[in-house]
Protein backbone atom coordinates (compact mmCIF):
# COMPACT_ATOMS: atom_id res chain seq x y z
CA UNK A 1 0.00 0.00 0.00
CA UNK A 2 2.73 2.35 0.87
CA UNK A 3 4.47 1.60 -2.43
CA UNK A 4 1.37 2.50 -4.39
CA UNK A 5 0.94 5.80 -2.57
CA UNK A 6 4.57 6.68 -3.24
CA UNK A 7 4.11 6.00 -6.94
CA UNK A 8 1.06 8.27 -7.04
CA UNK A 9 2.96 11.12 -5.39
CA UNK A 10 5.79 10.77 -7.91
CA UNK A 11 3.34 10.81 -10.83
CA UNK A 12 1.62 13.93 -9.47
CA UNK A 13 4.95 15.71 -8.98
CA UNK A 14 6.08 14.84 -12.51
CA UNK A 15 2.76 16.04 -13.94
CA UNK A 16 3.05 19.37 -12.09
CA UNK A 17 6.63 19.87 -13.42
CA UNK A 18 5.47 19.27 -17.00
CA UNK A 19 2.64 21.72 -16.61
CA UNK A 20 5.03 24.41 -15.32
CA UNK A 21 7.40 23.84 -18.27
CA UNK A 22 4.52 23.99 -20.73
CA UNK A 23 3.24 27.23 -19.20
CA UNK A 24 6.72 28.77 -19.36
CA UNK A 25 7.12 27.84 -23.02
CA UNK A 26 3.67 29.23 -23.82
CA UNK A 27 4.41 32.51 -22.04
CA UNK A 28 7.71 32.85 -23.91
CA UNK A 29 6.00 32.26 -27.25
CA UNK A 30 3.35 34.82 -26.37
CA UNK A 31 6.01 37.43 -25.56
CA UNK A 32 7.83 36.76 -28.84
CA UNK A 33 4.57 37.13 -30.77
CA UNK A 34 3.76 40.45 -29.08
CA UNK A 35 7.29 41.76 -29.78
CA UNK A 36 7.14 40.72 -33.46
CA UNK A 37 3.70 42.32 -33.84
CA UNK A 38 4.89 45.59 -32.30
CA UNK A 39 7.97 45.65 -34.53
CA UNK A 40 5.88 45.11 -37.68
CA UNK A 41 3.44 47.81 -36.63
CA UNK A 42 6.25 50.28 -36.03
CA UNK A 43 7.71 49.67 -39.50
CA UNK A 44 4.32 50.13 -41.11
CA UNK A 45 3.75 53.39 -39.30
CA UNK A 46 7.22 54.69 -40.30
CA UNK A 47 6.54 53.87 -43.97
CA UNK A 48 3.06 55.42 -43.95
CA UNK A 49 2.92 58.41 -46.41
CA UNK A 50 2.33 61.89 -44.98
CA UNK A 51 -1.15 63.21 -44.86
CA UNK A 52 -2.44 65.77 -47.43
CA UNK A 53 -2.45 68.57 -44.87
CA UNK A 54 1.20 67.96 -44.02
CA UNK A 55 2.10 67.88 -47.73
CA UNK A 56 0.38 71.24 -48.25
CA UNK A 57 2.34 72.80 -45.37
CA UNK A 58 5.65 71.49 -46.73
CA UNK A 59 4.86 72.87 -50.23
CA UNK A 60 4.04 76.28 -48.73
CA UNK A 61 7.36 76.37 -46.88
CA UNK A 62 9.28 75.42 -50.04
CA UNK A 63 7.48 78.12 -52.08
CA UNK A 64 8.46 80.94 -49.68
CA UNK A 65 11.53 82.86 -50.98
CA UNK A 66 14.63 82.86 -48.80
CA UNK A 67 15.38 86.22 -47.13
CA UNK A 68 18.00 88.10 -49.08
CA UNK A 69 20.72 90.14 -47.44
CA UNK A 70 20.87 93.83 -48.38
CA UNK A 71 23.42 94.32 -51.10
CA UNK A 72 26.36 96.42 -50.04
CA UNK A 73 27.24 99.29 -52.27
CA UNK A 74 30.52 98.60 -54.00
CA UNK A 75 33.15 101.22 -53.39
CA UNK A 76 34.27 102.93 -56.59
CA UNK A 77 37.78 101.98 -57.61
CA UNK A 78 40.30 104.86 -57.40
CA UNK A 79 40.83 106.31 -60.81
CA UNK A 80 44.36 106.97 -61.97
CA UNK A 81 45.10 110.36 -63.47
CA UNK A 82 45.04 110.24 -67.21
CA UNK A 83 48.49 110.37 -68.73
CA UNK A 84 49.01 112.75 -71.56
CA UNK A 85 50.88 111.01 -74.36
CA UNK A 86 52.61 113.46 -76.61
CA UNK A 87 53.13 112.32 -80.17
CA UNK A 88 56.78 111.96 -81.04
CA UNK A 89 57.92 113.64 -84.17
CA UNK A 90 59.78 111.25 -86.45
CA UNK A 91 63.31 112.13 -87.49
CA UNK A 92 64.10 112.94 -91.15
CA UNK A 93 65.67 109.52 -91.58
CA UNK A 94 62.53 107.87 -90.21
CA UNK A 95 60.31 110.00 -92.49
CA UNK A 96 62.39 108.93 -95.47
CA UNK A 97 62.18 105.28 -94.48
CA UNK A 98 58.40 105.57 -94.05
CA UNK A 99 58.03 107.19 -97.45
CA UNK A 100 60.15 104.49 -99.07
CA UNK A 101 58.16 101.81 -97.27
CA UNK A 102 54.92 103.21 -98.63
CA UNK A 103 56.37 103.10 -102.12
CA UNK A 104 57.36 99.47 -101.63
CA UNK A 105 61.11 100.01 -101.33
CA UNK A 106 63.23 98.58 -98.52
CA UNK A 107 64.52 101.40 -96.26
CA UNK A 108 68.09 101.13 -94.98
CA UNK A 109 68.79 103.39 -92.00
CA UNK A 110 72.53 104.08 -91.55
CA UNK A 111 73.90 103.67 -88.01
CA UNK A 112 74.74 106.84 -86.07
CA UNK A 113 78.37 107.95 -86.33
CA UNK A 114 80.60 106.94 -83.44
CA UNK A 115 82.53 109.55 -81.56
CA UNK A 116 86.31 109.10 -81.61
CA UNK A 117 87.77 107.62 -78.47
CA UNK A 118 90.00 110.15 -76.74
CA UNK A 119 92.75 108.58 -74.66
CA UNK A 120 94.40 111.05 -72.26
CA UNK A 121 98.17 111.06 -72.38
CA UNK A 122 99.95 109.48 -69.41
CA UNK A 123 101.03 111.85 -66.68
CA UNK A 124 104.69 112.69 -66.99
CA UNK A 125 106.82 112.82 -63.90
CA UNK A 126 109.08 115.77 -63.47
CA UNK A 127 112.65 114.71 -63.91
CA UNK A 128 113.98 117.90 -62.27
CA UNK A 129 115.27 118.06 -58.68
CA UNK A 130 112.80 118.22 -55.81
CA UNK A 131 112.76 121.73 -54.36
CA UNK A 132 113.43 121.92 -50.62
CA UNK A 133 112.92 124.83 -48.25
CA UNK A 134 116.15 126.82 -47.72
CA UNK A 135 117.24 127.84 -44.19
CA UNK A 136 116.20 131.31 -42.89
CA UNK A 137 118.64 134.23 -42.93
CA UNK A 138 118.54 135.04 -39.21
CA UNK A 139 119.39 131.53 -38.07
CA UNK A 140 120.38 131.18 -34.40
CA UNK A 141 123.17 129.24 -32.76
CA UNK A 142 121.13 126.05 -32.16
CA UNK A 143 118.31 124.24 -33.94
CA UNK A 144 116.35 120.94 -33.70
CA UNK A 145 116.96 118.35 -36.40
CA UNK A 146 114.04 115.93 -37.03
CA UNK A 147 115.74 113.75 -39.67
CA UNK A 148 118.32 113.40 -42.47
CA UNK A 149 118.31 111.45 -45.77
CA UNK A 150 120.42 111.23 -48.95
CA UNK A 151 117.14 111.25 -50.93
CA UNK A 152 115.66 114.66 -51.68
CA UNK A 153 112.14 113.18 -51.94
CA UNK A 154 112.43 111.67 -48.45
CA UNK A 155 113.64 115.00 -47.08
CA UNK A 156 110.63 116.72 -48.68
CA UNK A 157 108.35 114.19 -47.07
CA UNK A 158 109.81 115.03 -43.65
CA UNK A 159 109.27 118.72 -44.35
CA UNK A 160 105.60 118.19 -45.27
CA UNK A 161 105.03 116.13 -42.14
CA UNK A 162 106.47 118.84 -39.89
CA UNK A 163 104.57 121.54 -41.80
CA UNK A 164 101.29 119.64 -41.30
CA UNK A 165 101.98 119.63 -37.52
CA UNK A 166 102.27 123.44 -37.49
CA UNK A 167 106.07 123.89 -37.71
CA UNK A 168 108.22 125.79 -40.21
CA UNK A 169 110.84 123.26 -41.39
CA UNK A 170 113.83 123.85 -43.68
CA UNK A 171 116.58 121.69 -45.17
CA UNK A 172 120.34 122.06 -45.19
CA UNK A 173 122.65 120.22 -47.63
CA UNK A 174 125.67 118.50 -46.06
CA UNK A 175 128.49 117.02 -48.17
CA UNK A 176 129.82 113.98 -46.30
CA UNK A 177 132.50 112.98 -48.79
CA UNK A 178 132.34 109.30 -49.58
CA UNK A 179 128.79 109.09 -48.14
CA UNK A 180 127.56 111.67 -50.60
CA UNK A 181 125.24 114.61 -50.01
CA UNK A 182 122.74 114.39 -47.22
CA UNK A 183 119.71 116.61 -46.62
CA UNK A 184 119.12 117.54 -43.00
CA UNK A 185 115.58 118.62 -42.09
CA UNK A 186 115.43 121.05 -39.14
CA UNK A 187 112.93 123.25 -37.25
CA UNK A 188 113.43 126.28 -34.99
CA UNK A 189 116.24 128.73 -34.32
CA UNK A 190 117.51 129.46 -30.77
CA UNK A 191 120.30 131.55 -29.30
CA UNK A 192 121.11 129.02 -26.53
CA UNK A 193 120.96 125.26 -26.08
CA UNK A 194 118.47 125.19 -23.16
CA UNK A 195 115.69 126.70 -25.26
CA UNK A 196 116.47 124.28 -28.06
CA UNK A 197 116.22 121.32 -25.65
CA UNK A 198 112.81 122.44 -24.36
CA UNK A 199 111.62 122.91 -27.94
CA UNK A 200 112.88 119.44 -28.89
CA UNK A 201 110.58 117.87 -26.27
CA UNK A 202 107.56 119.55 -27.88
CA UNK A 203 108.67 118.44 -31.36
CA UNK A 204 109.11 114.79 -30.32
CA UNK A 205 105.68 114.77 -28.66
CA UNK A 206 103.94 116.26 -31.72
CA UNK A 207 105.74 114.28 -34.43
CA UNK A 208 106.12 111.12 -32.32
CA UNK A 209 109.71 110.57 -33.38
CA UNK A 210 113.17 111.27 -32.01
CA UNK A 211 114.90 114.61 -32.64
CA UNK A 212 118.33 116.03 -31.73
CA UNK A 213 119.63 119.48 -30.89
CA UNK A 214 122.47 120.60 -33.17
CA UNK A 215 124.53 123.72 -33.79
CA UNK A 216 123.23 125.69 -36.73
CA UNK A 217 126.75 126.23 -38.26
Amino acid sequence: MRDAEGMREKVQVSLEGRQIAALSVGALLLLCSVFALGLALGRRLSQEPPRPAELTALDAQAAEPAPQKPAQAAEPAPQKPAQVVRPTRPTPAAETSLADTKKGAVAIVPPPPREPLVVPPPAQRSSGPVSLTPPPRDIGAYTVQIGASPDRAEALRLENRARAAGYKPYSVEANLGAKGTWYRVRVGSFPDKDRALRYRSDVERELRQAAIVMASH
Side-chain angles (χ1 to χ4, degrees):
M1 292 295 291
R2 292 180 179 179
D3 295 334
E5 291 179 358
M7 292 294 292
R8 289 178 182 177
E9 290 178 359
K10 291 180 179 180
V11 170
Q12 290 179 359
V13 171
S14 61
L15 289 176
E16 290 178 358
R18 291 178 181 179
Q19 291 177 357
I20 293 172
L23 291 176
S24 300
V25 171
L28 182 60
L29 292 175
L30 181 61
L31 289 175
C32 291
S33 301
V34 172
F35 177 75
L37 182 62
L39 184 61
L41 183 61
R43 289 181 179 179
R44 184 177 181 182
L45 291 177
S46 62
Q47 296 177 358
E48 184 179 356
R51 298 178 181 177
E54 295 178 357
L55 292 176
T56 306
L58 291 175
D59 294 340
Q61 291 180 0
E64 292 181 358
Q68 298 180 358
K69 297 182 180 180
Q72 297 181 357
E75 298 182 358
Q79 298 181 358
K80 297 182 179 181
Q83 298 181 357
V84 180
V85 180
R86 297 182 180 178
T88 57
R89 185 177 181 182
T91 58
E95 292 178 357
T96 305
S97 62
L98 289 174
D100 295 340
T101 305
K102 291 180 179 179
K103 294 178 182 179
V106 179
I108 300 175
V109 180
R114 296 183 179 180
E115 297 182 358
L117 181 61
V118 179
V119 181
Q124 297 180 357
R125 297 182 179 180
S126 59
S127 58
V130 179
S131 59
L132 299 175
T133 306
R137 294 182 179 178
D138 53 346
I139 189 171
Y142 294 93
T143 185
V144 177
Q145 183 170 306
I146 60 176
S149 174
D151 187 5
R152 295 176 65 95
E154 181 65 20
L156 182 61
R157 188 186 66 82
L158 292 174
E159 282 191 10
N160 294 333
R161 183 179 178 186
R163 191 173 291 107
Y167 297 101
K168 296 180 179 180
Y170 62 91
S171 299
V172 177
E173 295 184 8
N175 189 0
L176 301 181
K179 294 182 180 180
T181 303
W182 282 64
Y183 303 94
R184 298 172 177 174
V185 183
R186 300 174 176 179
V187 291
S189 176
F190 306 97
D192 52 61
K193 193 174 183 178
D194 293 337
R195 295 183 182 181
L197 290 173
R198 289 194 297 268
Y199 191 73
R200 184 194 67 177
S201 301
D202 297 338
V203 171
E204 289 179 345
R205 183 176 61 255
E206 294 293 334
L207 299 181
R208 296 181 181 180
Q209 69 178 31
I212 57 175
V213 175
M214 295 186 65
S216 302
H217 303 285

